[in-house]
Amino acid sequence: MPSLPDGSNDGNRSSPLLWRIPKFFLRPFRGPIDRARRAFRAAAYPIEGIYYFLRHPEFYPVFLGRLLPLSIISFLVYLILFTFAFIPQLLFLMIFQGKAGAWFNAIVLVLGEGHVVIQALFEGFFVDEAQVDIFDATLINHGLTDLVAPHRLLFPDAPTSVKMLGKPTTKAEFQPFSLKQIIELIVFLPLNLIPYGGTVAFLMITGSRYGKLSHHRWFQLRGLSKQEMKRERSYWSWEYTWFGTIAMVLQLIPVLSFFFLLTTSAGAALWVAKLEQRSRVRVGRPVTANDQAARNQPDEPVYHDGIYHDDPV
């Protein structure tokens, strides 16, 4: 008796075709979807940095001991600007933009002016060391002591990652002082005079510059040359734009700007920890001794052999 044809084979033949149809129509959207996903992920790191900072009380003395006095000074700077500069600029903008747009843009304009003053006076000289400490401590918390150890003294018996940090043995900068960045802030401030899109453009342009410098400390720890740093920044330029834009928005918040500088440093380190973890796993296997030798990385962290002394910061 002849057997009936099995329809399952037909279904198997047709199912790949059915899957290809939606893939075909979604193909033009793959690029934009991927870029949106990367932008969202990078923009989330400054926010994650806030949560991470608040969950680690060992970071608090870095802010309270070093930056709280500067936060009070920044409050005075903003108070003076909003007292004497806000109303004239608001009235000027109302001529061209109406009440709603003028209020928003005038606030951002004055906040930007205050950020320029504070950055020029304080950030490059007083804040960078604290940012380096938060960045390095976050890397240590994620098991990347071998990345930090060759570049600063460490006390392995210290109770927390912050107190584990000793003096740097090589040049340590979270972000190099950039006169160009300050000039760009001043040059692009007038963008806030443009209705609607001007403020967004100002934040994204200045944020792009800030984002490209957010991994400068990581590049230092890896011993990259200026050319290699430039290549890395070019490769991650899309992500740096969105990371920097969110970081810039946070830094325009009066009084809390110095606090958000530290939380953004933690966010940048969280991003680095993720990238390092991925780079240290090749096709599902841990990095071997041969891999480490090829990358010129020491097998064991180099610790300072001194005695740890407790310090409030």
Side-chain angles (χ1 to χ4, degrees), residues 13 32 42 55 59 80 91 94 107 127 132 135 162 179 188 216 220 236 245 248 275:
R13 293 193 193 99
R55 287 179 56 242
F59 291 168
I80 293 171
L91 295 176
M94 287 179 65
I107 291 173
V127 183
V132 169
F135 186 89
V162 173
L179 182 61
F188 290 118
H216 180 79
Q220 276 189 333
W236 296 101
T245 298
M248 184 61 64
L275 295 176

Side-chain angles (χ1 to χ4, degrees), residues 70-234:
L70 295 181
S71 297
I72 297 173
I73 296 175
S74 72
F75 171 76
L76 296 177
V77 170
Y78 282 114
L79 180 63
I80 293 171
L81 285 174
F82 273 97
T83 301
F84 297 102
F86 176 70
I87 297 300
Q89 292 178 104
L90 173 63
L91 295 176
F92 177 77
L93 290 173
M94 287 179 65
I95 299 173
F96 304 98
Q97 301 182 12
K99 287 185 178 181
W103 272 93
F104 177 75
N105 286 351
I107 291 173
V108 175
L109 185 60
V110 173
L111 291 176
E113 293 164 352
H115 182 67
V116 171
V117 173
I118 292 169
Q119 186 178 52
L121 293 177
F122 306 118
E123 284 187 17
F125 304 100
F126 300 105
V127 183
D128 196 76
E129 181 182 351
Q131 289 181 279
V132 169
D133 287 349
I134 294 298
F135 186 89
D136 290 356
T138 303
L139 293 184
I140 291 173
N141 287 340
H142 283 80
L144 297 173
T145 308
D146 62 309
L147 192 63
V148 179
H151 300 275
R152 70 185 304 164
L153 305 178
L154 295 178
F155 300 95
D157 57 337
T160 66
S161 57
V162 173
K163 291 184 177 182
M164 186 176 174
L165 301 174
K167 293 183 178 180
T169 56
T170 60
K171 188 176 182 180
E173 294 176 324
F174 181 76
Q175 289 187 345
F177 178 77
S178 175
L179 182 61
K180 182 179 180 181
Q181 185 178 8
I182 296 175
I183 294 174
E184 284 183 350
L185 280 170
I186 297 172
V187 169
F188 290 118
L189 266 176
L191 285 174
N192 292 283
L193 302 176
I194 301 175
Y196 308 111
T199 298
V200 175
F202 168 75
L203 292 173
M204 294 195 68
I205 292 173
T206 55
S208 175
R209 164 68 62 176
Y210 182 88
K212 288 179 180 178
L213 296 175
S214 61
H215 280 165
H216 180 79
R217 175 61 175 165
W218 182 38
F219 300 155
Q220 276 189 333
L221 296 176
R222 292 162 60 194
L224 301 187
S225 65
K226 289 185 178 180
Q227 191 64 29
E228 290 170 329
M229 290 184 185
K230 184 177 180 180
R231 186 164 60 247
E232 289 272 335
R233 289 174 181 136
S234 175

